[in-house]
Every structure is written in structure tokens, then in C-alpha cells.
Amino acid sequence: MGSHGVQDPPRKRRRKAPTSTSSYVFRPLLEDISLAPEGYTSKVHITCIELWESNLYIGTSAAEILHYVAIPPDPTDATATPSYIFASRLQPTHIQNLADSAAPGVQQILVLPRVAKACVLCNGTLTFYSLPELSPAFGNTVVPGCGWIGGTNLNGFDEQDEDGETVMICIKSRIRLVRIGDEPQRIRNIEFPGCLAVARRDNFACVADGQGYALLDVENQQKISLFPVSSLHENAASGQIEDISSHHETSRPSSGMGDPRGHGRSTSLGTFATEIGRRSPQSRSQERSGRNTPESGMRAASPLRPSHRPRSGSVVGDTKSGPSVSNKPLPAPPNRTASPQASLNVVPPTTARLNPHICSPTPTEFLLTTGTTPEEPGVGIFVNLEGDVVRGTLQFDRYPTSVVVDNNDQTTVTSPTSTQQPREGYVLATTLQSAEESQRDVVEVRRWDIDDDNNAEHLNIPFPFEEEDSEDTVPVTGHAKLRSILSYSSESFPEVAQRLRLARMRLPKSGSPSPDSEDRLTSAVDGSDEKRNEEEQAFAQRLGTQSSRIVLWCGSSIWWLMRNPLVLRLDGAIDAAMEAMVDQNRPETGQKEILRTVTSVQDYEANTETDFLSLKYIRQKAGLILIANALSQDPSSSTLRKTETQPENLLTESGLDPRVILSLIPLLSQEVVEGPKGIWVHAGLIWVVEQYTGVFSETPGNGTVEGPLRHNGLSNMIKRYLVAWRQRKGFGSIADEVEVFRSVDAALLLLLLYQDSQNSARPGIPSAVRAELYTLVDSGVDCFERAVVLLEQYQRLYVLSRLYQNRKLASKVLETWRRIIEGEKDAGNELRDGENEVRKYLAKIRDTALFRDYGTWLARRHADLGVQVFTNENSRVKLSPEDVVPLLQEQAPDAVKVYLEHLVFGKKKVQYANRLIAYYLDSVLQVLGSSEEARSTLAQSYESYRALQPPKPTYRQFIIDNAVPVAWWQDRLRLMELLGGSHGADFSYDLEEILNRIEPFEQDLVPESIILDGRRGRHKQALRLLTHGLGDYHTSINYCLMGGASIFHPVSGSLTPNEASTREDQATLFGYLLVEFLQIEDTSNRLERTSELLERFGSWYDVKQVLGMIPESWSVELVSGFLVGAIRRLVHDKHEAMVVKALTGAENLQVAASFVEKCSTAGPQIEGMQHTTG
């Protein structure tokens, strides 16, 4: 696959051999065995098989046992299997003639490993041999007329069998229970003639004759008839309890054996009877869990059997008394019109006999088969140790010729209370299947532990049909048999290792590798790879081992029937679905099959390492195929729209290295980081990747760099997948965590940048994709260097600054913002009010140098914001004004004035007022000296103010309301405020210097001259300028009231008189003001202002002095207010003096009265006399 639009030429996909999806597969044990002895003309076939340790015993229809010995495989070859060499040929003792073609030959080989003995049943004759060479034992003891040998305890060894093993020998008239040890010892006889099959669990045995099945209590010798082998035996007795103990036989063994019942179970087969019939079709759907006994079907046919009644230990008619349950009699059997013996003999003469089959899937259950004819379907029925039918039935296509149960456990005893999860339970049966006017043997495989609607698998036996010219073979039809043998055999499945082993996935080299990642997309093989390959191969080889003890023979060949490993079964199904998707162009069908396969094991609990890895591999492969197929679809495909959200969760849960997925996407493959170790995945996944490599160049619309990501659904799916992977950061189970998350973060960042770039219709407007982009960079990425490169490539400077913020790289953040503010392109246009953002950010950093550099940079661009940086009280970097002022003077001169204004007006730091005054003077005088327009503006303002008729505002208020929108005008207002003493009497400045500077502009700066005259005590000059220069009468009055100390205050606040001024000083100033008012040129204005001044502030004037100053031409009316006020003050003063005098006289009387009173109290005293004694 070519990255970034570099297309590889189309190439044919490499196919691989199909994988079997069946539950079982055949593995050869022995093939083309020479069965016929010399001189034997009849065709010979295998009749039975047993394997014990390394000894293989094969019974044939020629009444011979072929003994083969296993040669161990090469221990260095994990896939090798044992080979068998021929050891001997044995002809067991039997009665029938060897040439009798109707004789069955060797019927059974029963190996008893505990006592190293073998029981061989050949043509109805039972003989005994010693293992392993099969030499005669027990003095060539022969038991003629035997129909079956077996009945070993499936639950393990019997407790009483300390030195032997108990078997059941079925002769024509009875079953004989025998303990095989150093010598055979008869334990007891059980009256059950014609037995053809036995399966025993402890004291309970399920047996069958040619007619039906029965359940035996071998200890207490009781029997419950179950149901017939063939349903044609309508009158066969079932559900009846019988006592089958012999009144002429003792239940004890021969001399010296002791009581065989000493350690046996003391309960009988049961104390109730049931009538068992065939299950109805409805019962098939019942759960096969074995936990519940169905109440319908079989139980409904048992009205005479009380449920859960204890089994009795005595026979019918036992009259022993006592409280023991064993003394209770059995219930009466149901009425029958015909005796059981009579009913058992009713057999249609033209019907072929059905061979009974008995298996025991669990320690408490037996599986029995029943049917009508060999050509008709058969039914498997489960019964428990009490004779109740449990689970549902099994339906066989035809009545089976052999049946085995496989629980996949390698122990004989299975505890029903085991805490381990039980493995799948299968029933395997050989049946005849019609095929093109002929028949052949097949193996039916069905689940018995779950209800799967009787779905069956059919396995074709890998053995050719008989060739016409062959003399050594016989027709295979009808001779295929299954058997669960004694010893297990392990087979290696190299296919499992081929899929599950980890292998390094080679990524194609990019045409233009990223400059920042030297370890991207490497493909060199070094020694470390070879070493790991060996380790992975050794590890995977032990995963593909399966064990089985089920064999199948047909003709002259024998096969193991091995469970197909889970990974091979599921992988075969997925491969078939993939073929439908890719080669047959049926994507919907393939997707459904893959999802069905994954769902089938959704609740599967892995108990072994192999199962765990298998499920993990299957989920990874299924998700990989689904997502790869979705990526290869035409973006307009309806199938794509339907399935675009399916694979992501599957992939995330499976733990597949996300770099595998990214390698399939042209736009994102460049972000894959291999690292020094490379990408190691299951080898079976590499084949899938190879199938889809280059697929984008073959798919319409996917030949561009963006490829399938142009489809929103797919790009969103990949995005969700990558986000889910990011949430797994910190998980210790992730291999190559560094490289994985570097790749994930880089790919996700690139994908979000691509998606956001497509949303160019409304740049700068927040979107969901942009919010996700912010979330990604704000949370931090592992691919920091690569992220910087990508953001620079996409010109996303603001996002880059956020990335730097996450890394706390303050210098990079400010540098990036500076680039944006100074005009470098930011494709997202996301930094709003950047200078203010810089101001806020500077308050958070601790780097003093950075703070100074960018604070002054901001002050140069925006003085107000720059000054806020240095004056923010919440800033982490604190600089004193002594440091800031020279810094600003050097780096941002225009901001010095703003900073000083903050200090003086904001912080009231009057020590910096002189500097500020100097800056104001520089600003104002520079403009006035260079601009005639400015000087004209000032003169015009004076004329305009003087032209106003009273009442009018003060001059300060006038120039504020009519301010000119230029900086020097505002500076002049602040200058007047500072010079006017707005910061209190303690504030002082250099008058002489200021006067010298403004002297050339004295006619232009009238208010400033007034303030300075007042400061120097030149009150007459100041009042003259206020009255005649400005015509600001209100301010002149304030000047007198304030003692000439401060004028031109801000409009807000109250006027506070100078603490140093006295009433005499104020009277003096008012006297100066009266003189100036009397000199106002305009007569009406002079009369009005003078009369108002005298009337309002007459108390500060002397009447005589005022009358002497007023021109004689003025009428009394003009000063009537002043005179009335003066007379009132005189009268007031006179009355006040009289009151004071009266109060003083009263006070003197009080003091005199108090003196007299005190003198009276003290009494007279004589002063100046001396008293003498004797």
C-alpha cells in the first residue's frame, strides 16, 4: 500500500487452504492394515480396537488380534506423532470354526490396566490374557456362550476392589459379576439373560438385551425395565420393578473373598416405578442442562411412581421391621394383561434387529438409543439413576451403528459439583447416509449438553470406497465404528501455531517519511527478530495440542477423532465469510456471518491459555476484516452506511494493536510508530492485512491520500476507535505501550485536523470536531514532537499553543500567540482578543524573564494592557515600581505615562507624581510648540467659556464636557488635576521648574498659571486671571474659600478648605476678589457679580471698608443685601453680648452662693493663736 497517494500496482490476492469448521477432524492412526491372515479367503474388517499405553490391539472379523507397538516420536519435533510397528498376531480361543463367515470374529477387547489383564470376547467365547504381550492367563480359562464383557465402573474403581477390577460377564442366562485379580472371583449372579450392552456407575448399571433397556441395582439385585430398543415392540414391559436376585445363589463370593457388600451402597434401585414411553416432539426443546427433570412427556406417563422416594435396600416381600428406610416395601407394580416375559418375545420376524447402545455422559445419566428400523431415524434418550428421563432427546438421521460420548475430560471420574466450567459435550454416532443411489458411513456430531434444535454436523470418513479390483479391502459401508478407548492420544495441530503465534508485521516504507521520527516504518530484520520468532514458535506449538481417546475404524484404516481446536473452527467460518465479502462480492452476507461467528462465542469463558488466545485472535480477526472491508468499500455504498459502526467495539475489546488498523489507511499510516521491537501480532492477522494491502487504489474514490476518510461515517468510526484506545492508557497489559499510544495520538490528532479542515464553511465558529480537538491537546498527547509538526503543517497555531499549555511550556505558548498577533496565519482563526489573552496568561507564569519580555512587548503594542500586566496584584511575578519604570522607559516608553498614572491616580503613590507631571508637560508643551491648531483650540476654549452667561459651569467642567478627542487634551486635564492639589497638601512638586517650562506658553495655559500662582502665594495674580483671563467666577470664589491652596478638583467629591488657612486669610482673599470684581469690564456683569459676592460672603467683609470701595454712583439697592446682612449681624452681635452678660451675672451669683454654703459648713477658724500647756 502506498502512503500519501503512492499507489501500488494491483496484485492478485494470495489464497490459503480452507480450514475445517467442523467440531471434529480425523487424524490417521493406522492406514492400510494387513488384516487377513495367510490363506484366508474371506474379506476381513476391523471389529474392535483398544489402546493401552504404547500397545495397540486390533480385533478383526477373522478372529485375530493384531498387536502393534508405538514408537515414540522425535522429541525435538513437536508436530511428530507416534508410529506403530507390528508386533504379533494372536488367535484367541473360540468355539466357532475359523472359516465360518457368519462368525463375528473378535467382538470385544477389554483391557484392565490395574491388574494388567485383558478379556477377549471372540465368537461368543471369553478368554483371559496378560498384558502387554497377550499371553494366556488363569490357566487358559474359557467362558463359552458369552454375549458381552464390560461393565467396569465408569466412576472409577470400586471401593472393594483393592487388588482387582470388577467386570460384568454377560452369558446367555444371566450376568455374572466377577472380580478380576490374580485369579477371577465370582461375586454374584444377576438374573438378566441375553445382555448385549452394559454401562455401570458404581452399583447402578444400565443394561440392554435384544429387546429393551433396563436399570439394575447390582448390589440389591433389582431391576427397572425402561423402554424397548425398537419401538415396534409395543408390548415390551417398562417401568416395572423386579427382584432379580437368585434364591439359589449366594450374594457372597467364593471362599476367601469376604462380603462384597461390606463397602457397597445399601440402597436399592428405587422404590417407585415409571412407565417410560417415547418422548414427544415438544420435549426436544427442553433444556439439556440435567438440572431439572421435565414434568411433561416421560414424567406424565408415570402416575404410579411417587417422586423422590428413597430407594429400599431390601427385596420385595422383606418383612424385617425397623425404622430404616431399607425396610420399606417396594410399591406394587402396575397391572399388566400380559407378563413381561411374554411381551419381550413379540418381535416382528421380518424386522432387522437394532443393536442397543448405552453411553454415560455424566456420573448420574445414561444415554440410550431407540428407533424402529435401521433405515429410519433414531432417537437418543437420557435417563438418570432413578430411571427418569432427563434433558431433551437427540434425533439421529438414521439409527446409529455405534455411539460414543465425548466430554473432552481426561479423567474417568467427573465430579458433578466441580467448579470448573464444563467443556462442550458431544455425542458422536456412525450412521449410513444415502448418496447417489448408494450408501456410505458418516459420523453425526451433536451437542448433548445444550439445546441446539438437534442441529448436527456430518463428517465424511476420509476413506475411499471399495475398488472393484481390490482384493484386500471390503466394502466400507456399514463397517465404520466408533469407540472410546482406554488411553488418550495427543495430536499437534500446527495450524493453530500458524495462526496464534506472534509474528512481526512489516509495514511498507513510505515515500516521504516524517523527519521527526527515525523509527517509523522500519522493515529490517535483525537478530532479535529471529530470536523472538523462535521463542514465539516454541510457545505456539504447545497451544495446538489436542487429546482424544475416540477412534474410528473403517475397512483397514483407523483414525483418531480429534476435537477441532476452537480457533480453527471459528477461523474457518471467518475465512469463508471473508471469501464471500471479497471474492464473491457479497459484503452483507459475509458481515452477517462474521458477526454471527463472534456472537456464538460471546459468552464463552476461556478456561485455558489456548482458549483465551483463540478467542482473542478470533475477535481481532473479525474486527480487522470488518473494518478493512468497510474501508475498502465505495463511500457511496449502502452496505457501508449500514455497517460503519459495527467493528469498532469489537476491535477495542479484542485488544488488537491499533497500529495494524492505521497501517491500512493512507492518511494515517504515516503516523504508525514501529519502534525498535516492531509490531507483533498473531500471524493469522498478517494474512488479512496482506489481502487488503493496496485495496484503496483499486476502490473508486479511495485513491487519494484521504481515501475512505472522506466518508464521514468511516472517519467518525475510526475516531471513536482511537478515542476508545486512548482511554486504555496506563493499562499494564498493553505491549509496546509507548509506540502504540504515540501512534494512536498522532493518528487521532491528524484525523481531527483533517475533519476540522473540511468544516471550512464557517471558520472560527466552534464545532463538535473542534471541541474534540481541544480536548485531545488539552489532555496531552504522547506524540508531542509529531503533534507540533502536524499542527504547524495545518497552520493551527492556536491549537499548538494549547498543546504547549498542557506541557507547561510558557515560552512556547507566548511565542505562538505572538506569532498569531503579529499576523502569521492561523487557519482556525481561534485566538480572539489575543493581547488580552497574553495579559491573562502572564499573570499565571512564574518565569520573571519571560514576564518582563512579554510584558514589555505587550506594553509596546497596547500600553494599557501592558501596564495591567505589571500592576496586577494577582500576578505570580511581582515587580516593584522602581524596577518597572526604568524597564518601561527602555522597552516601552509610551507605556510609562500609563504606568505612572496607575501609580499616582490608582495607588495614590504621590512620590511618582513629579514624573507624571513631567510626562504630561512633555506631551502638552510638545503639541503646543509644534501645532498652531492646538494653541488656537485653547484660545477658542477660553473665548467660548467667557462668552457664556451665568450661571455657567466651572472652566474645568466646561473643558471636560467639550473635550477634544486627542491624547494631549486628556494629559492636560490630568496635569491640571495634579497641579491643583488633588492629592492633598502633602503633595508638592518643583514650582520653579514647571514655571520655567510653561513660561513661553503662559498665555495658552491660563489654568495652569493660576494654579502655580496660587501655589507661590501670588493670590492677587491668580484671582486676576480667574476673573479676567477665564471669567470663571465660581472657581475664584472657591479659590478664596480654599485659602488659595487648591483649585480645579475633579467634579466628584466635596471641597475641603485648606487646614492651614484661617478666616483672616479667607477675608483677605475675598478682599482681593472684590477688587477684581469691581474691575470687570462689563457693567451689568460687574454689578451682578459684585452684589452677589457681597450678599453671599458679606460676613468676610468689613462694612466700613466695603462702603469705602463701592463707587458713590451705585444705588443703595445694589448693596442692600449686603447692608441688611451686615445690620443683622450687628444686631445679632449686640443681642448675643447682652445674653452673655446676663448669663455671666447669673453664674457669679451661683458661685457666691456656693461659697457661702461651704463656709457655713466649715465653720469659723481662728488663725495666728498658739495654745500652751502646763
Side-chain angles (χ1 to χ4, degrees), residues 381-494:
I381 301 176
F382 296 87
V383 297
N384 60 17
L385 298 181
E386 297 178 346
D388 292 332
V389 175
V390 294
R391 305 183 186 274
T393 59
L394 295 177
Q395 300 291 334
F396 299 102
D397 294 343
R398 297 183 67 173
Y399 191 84
T401 57
S402 61
V403 179
V404 294
V405 173
D406 181 18
N407 295 329
N408 202 29
D409 54 347
Q410 297 188 23
T411 58
T412 304
V413 181
T414 303
S415 173
T417 60
S418 176
T419 58
Q420 295 183 354
Q421 180 188 11
R423 303 297 301 271
E424 302 97 326
Y426 288 93
V427 173
L428 296 89
T430 53
T431 60
L432 289 174
Q433 189 178 63
S434 299
E436 298 180 358
E437 300 181 356
S438 63
Q439 292 183 336
R440 69 171 298 164
D441 292 286
V442 297
V443 178
E444 284 191 38
V445 181
R446 299 179 183 272
R447 291 288 297 272
W448 65 262
D449 56 337
I450 62 172
D451 180 14
D452 60 352
D453 296 328
N454 272 303
N455 293 323
E457 300 178 42
H458 295 84
L459 307 180
N460 292 323
I461 299 173
F463 188 79
F465 286 97
E466 175 190 19
E467 299 180 1
E468 296 296 337
D469 58 349
S470 174
E471 298 179 357
D472 299 330
T473 60
V474 297
V476 298
T477 302
H479 290 284
K481 295 292 190 299
L482 289 167
R483 174 174 170 78
S484 181
I485 60 177
L486 187 65
S487 298
Y488 279 89
S489 176
S490 296
E491 291 280 337
S492 176
F493 285 76

Side-chain angles (χ1 to χ4, degrees), residues 702-975:
N702 283 343
T704 62
V705 174
E706 295 82 3
L709 296 183
R710 293 184 296 106
H711 186 274
N712 289 334
L714 280 178
S715 61
N716 288 332
M717 177 184 67
I718 298 298
K719 178 174 64 178
R720 292 191 299 269
Y721 170 65
L722 295 175
V723 169
W725 255 97
R726 272 179 53 84
Q727 295 174 353
R728 304 180 67 180
K729 284 188 178 182
F731 288 15
S733 59
I734 298 176
D736 302 327
E737 182 178 11
V738 175
E739 290 78 10
V740 166
F741 288 112
R742 283 177 59 191
S743 303
V744 168
D745 287 350
L748 180 58
L749 176 61
L750 179 56
L751 180 57
L752 290 172
L753 288 173
Y754 169 74
Q755 285 187 327
D756 195 46
S757 66
Q758 303 306 302
N759 188 25
S760 58
R762 298 186 300 169
I765 299 178
S767 63
V769 174
R770 187 160 297 179
E772 293 171 340
L773 180 60
Y774 291 163
T775 301
L776 173 64
V777 297
D778 290 346
S779 60
V781 293
D782 292 352
C783 59
F784 178 75
E785 293 80 7
R786 180 59 179 167
V788 172
V789 173
L790 291 174
L791 292 171
E792 291 281 5
Q793 288 177 353
Y794 276 80
Q795 295 181 322
R796 301 303 297 271
L797 298 183
Y798 175 72
V799 182
L800 177 60
S801 71
R802 298 183 70 134
L803 178 65
Y804 288 140
Q805 288 185 63
N806 175 262
R807 289 293 183 101
K808 301 186 184 305
L809 300 176
S811 61
K812 293 292 186 179
V813 174
L814 294 169
E815 178 185 351
T816 307
W817 283 350
R818 180 176 181 173
R819 292 166 58 189
I820 299 174
I821 294 171
E822 291 181 347
E824 188 170 341
K825 182 180 179 181
D826 179 28
N829 193 24
E830 299 148 279
L831 184 61
R832 304 291 183 174
D833 194 8
E835 294 173 340
N836 195 40
E837 291 296 325
V838 172
R839 177 191 64 82
K840 294 178 182 177
Y841 190 74
L842 287 174
K844 302 175 183 178
I845 65 175
R846 299 180 182 274
D847 190 331
T848 303
L850 205 61
F851 181 84
R852 293 163 61 98
D853 292 343
Y854 281 92
T856 55
W857 170 81
L858 184 59
R860 287 195 299 270
R861 292 187 56 87
H862 196 296
D864 290 336
L865 291 178
V867 168
Q868 291 179 31
V869 171
F870 296 103
T871 59
N872 188 353
E873 295 182 353
N874 296 322
S875 177
R876 295 185 176 181
V877 177
K878 305 290 186 181
L879 294 181
S880 64
E882 290 77 8
D883 297 328
V884 174
V885 172
L887 179 64
L888 292 178
Q889 287 176 339
E890 179 183 355
Q891 301 291 336
D894 294 339
V896 176
K897 180 188 69 174
V898 181
Y899 182 71
L900 293 175
E901 286 178 344
H902 168 77
L903 294 178
V904 174
F905 294 104
K907 297 297 184 179
K908 305 301 180 184
K909 295 183 179 293
V910 295
Q911 63 269 31
Y912 297 98
N914 283 319
R915 292 188 183 183
L916 185 57
I917 291 173
Y919 272 94
Y920 287 151
L921 283 174
D922 292 340
S923 175
V924 174
L925 296 181
Q926 182 181 2
V927 173
L928 293 178
S930 60
S931 174
E932 187 66 30
E933 181 182 359
R935 301 177 69 176
S936 175
T937 301
L938 283 178
Q940 185 65 34
S941 68
Y942 300 148
E943 293 177 5
S944 300
Y945 183 75
R946 286 194 296 265
L948 295 178
Q949 296 298 321
K952 59 182 179 180
T954 64
Y955 178 73
R956 174 183 172 82
Q957 187 63 39
F958 173 77
I959 60 176
I960 290 176
D961 294 341
N962 299 275
V964 180
V966 289
W968 68 270
W969 189 275
Q970 299 298 326
D971 292 344
R972 180 171 177 253
L973 293 177
R974 289 294 183 92
L975 176 62

Side-chain angles (χ1 to χ4, degrees), residues 102-117:
V106 178
Q107 298 165 270
Q108 286 181 267
I109 302 175
L110 177 64
V111 173
L112 305 175
R114 189 177 181 187
V115 294
K117 296 293 188 294

